[in-house]
Amino acid sequence: MSTDEMWSIGELAEHAGVTVKTVRFYSDRGLLPETDRSGGGHRRYGPEALDRLRLIRSLRTLDLPVPEVGRVLEKEDALEDAVARQLRELGSQMAALRWREAALQLLQDCTPGERADRLRLIGAVGTPPSTAALARFWRGWLPPRLPARLVTVIVDQAVPQPPAAPTPAQVLAFARLHAFASGPCPNTGRPVARRPDPDYRPDVLFDGLIEAYALAAPDVRGARPPRGGEALDCFVSAHARARGVRDTAVFRRELGVQLASELRIDDYWRLTAVVTGSPDPTPGATDAWLCAALSSRAG
């Protein structure tokens, strides 16, 4: 290539519609290597530098970091990974902005007397919101001998994920859930029915409860009154098998009394339903329906 076909840094900047400072910045970082140097030591660029500079600018317009741009220039198939990574980051940023917008709307719409309390609740959650406090609450609430696979399933079902585009009501419900899980435990120990004799099998109980909840879900979703049937039989059987006893009328009466005396966290499940916005019943709502069915049948 002759010297007549090469451009100075100023000529390249003019052709690309950028400043000399921009060309020098990318050159100094190795993204835009010069073709030659003039006798006076000035940088000289070939016409292909213009296409490369335009590509760099396009990638930077997408907000790709300079090191990422360098990887894309060196390896063509790196673009797909860079775009996917940028989309993930952008999605997280947009979710945080939507959450912040709903939180601000919540503060704007409330009365002056409510504002301080709501601001305290929202401020404790942070942006973007984390479910770590809720997961810790459930891991502490569940029996210590429960297998890890069951703990994972239960925590996944019990901990609602913050909506990607929340309403102000969902922001408030999640903030209240976070406060509930982060505050003093509402019970000094685990529920009474979760801590009987040493032969008690919590894994058997919770495996059975998951099945019973699935069977009862259509009735709860349809707002049908608590009743006997396969779901209730599965529910009682789970408790009986966990204790190594038979499902009898006497056992059902005793279980009904025992479950009625246990601490319930119905507010948690009510708030969870608001956060998820799903028509599917929460495990807590299903459990309450089954307990009511047991009481009515036992009575």
Side-chain angles (χ1 to χ4, degrees):
M1 182 182 296
S2 67
T3 55
D4 293 338
E5 296 174 311
M6 290 192 290
W7 298 327
S8 67
I9 191 171
E11 290 170 331
L12 177 59
E14 184 178 355
H15 279 87
V18 299
T19 64
V20 170
K21 183 179 179 180
T22 298
V23 177
R24 185 175 290 113
F25 175 83
Y26 291 132
S27 293
D28 289 344
R29 279 152 184 78
L31 302 182
L32 192 67
E34 69 255 15
T35 303
D36 199 1
R37 291 266 180 166
S38 68
H42 300 293
R43 307 178 193 197
R44 306 288 288 175
Y45 299 89
E48 71 281 354
L50 180 58
D51 289 336
R52 189 175 178 91
L53 181 54
R54 285 172 174 165
L55 175 58
I56 292 171
R57 291 189 65 204
S58 296
L59 294 171
R60 290 290 291 143
T61 299
L62 296 174
D63 212 23
L64 262 68
V66 171
E68 196 82 70
V69 171
R71 285 190 286 271
V72 172
L73 293 173
E74 293 171 5
K75 193 176 180 182
E76 188 174 337
D77 58 4
L79 179 59
E80 185 175 348
D81 290 340
V83 169
R85 190 158 36 248
Q86 196 70 2
L87 281 172
R88 286 194 298 272
E89 292 179 5
L90 186 60
S92 298
Q93 293 170 13
M94 291 178 68
L97 286 173
R98 292 191 192 103
W99 183 271
R100 193 175 303 158
E101 180 185 31
L104 289 170
Q105 191 69 50
L106 177 68
L107 292 174
Q108 184 180 58
D109 295 344
C110 70
T111 65
E114 295 173 314
R115 196 157 291 147
D117 182 58
R118 291 190 176 185
L119 187 58
R120 176 186 58 79
L121 287 170
I122 294 169
V125 174
T127 305
S130 170
T131 60
L134 278 63
R136 281 195 301 271
F137 168 80
W138 280 102
R139 291 181 186 279
W141 179 267
L142 293 170
R145 291 185 292 155
L146 205 61
R149 63 168 182 86
L150 268 177
V151 171
T152 299
V153 170
I154 295 167
V155 170
D156 286 347
Q157 291 181 350
V159 175
Q161 295 302 311
T167 63
Q170 287 174 311
V171 169
L172 181 58
F174 188 88
R176 284 176 171 161
L177 272 180
H178 185 274
F180 174 90
S182 304
C185 184
N187 187 18
T188 55
R190 292 180 173 80
V192 176
R194 299 340 182 225
R195 48 177 186 183
D197 59 73
D199 296 329
Y200 175 64
R201 294 283 307 280
D203 56 329
V204 173
L205 173 64
F206 282 95
D207 267 328
L209 290 181
I210 290 171
E211 182 181 356
Y213 293 167
L215 291 171
D219 284 331
V220 181
R221 192 183 302 113
R224 287 186 278 274
R227 60 185 180 85
E230 185 182 7
L232 179 59
D233 291 343
C234 182
F235 179 74
V236 175
S237 175
H239 282 279
R241 286 186 291 111
R243 291 161 174 74
V245 300
R246 293 193 307 112
D247 175 5
T248 64
V250 172
F251 175 77
R252 290 195 175 210
R253 283 196 297 272
E254 292 175 348
L255 179 63
V257 172
Q258 189 177 50
L259 294 179
S261 68
E262 283 191 358
L263 176 71
R264 295 194 61 84
I265 52 173
D266 292 331
D267 280 349
Y268 179 97
W269 297 114
R270 179 182 57 78
L271 292 169
T272 296
V274 175
V275 172
T276 62
S278 171
D280 293 329
T282 64
T286 311
D287 186 83
W289 188 93
L290 287 164
C291 287
L294 176 62
S295 295
S296 65
R297 299 295 290 180

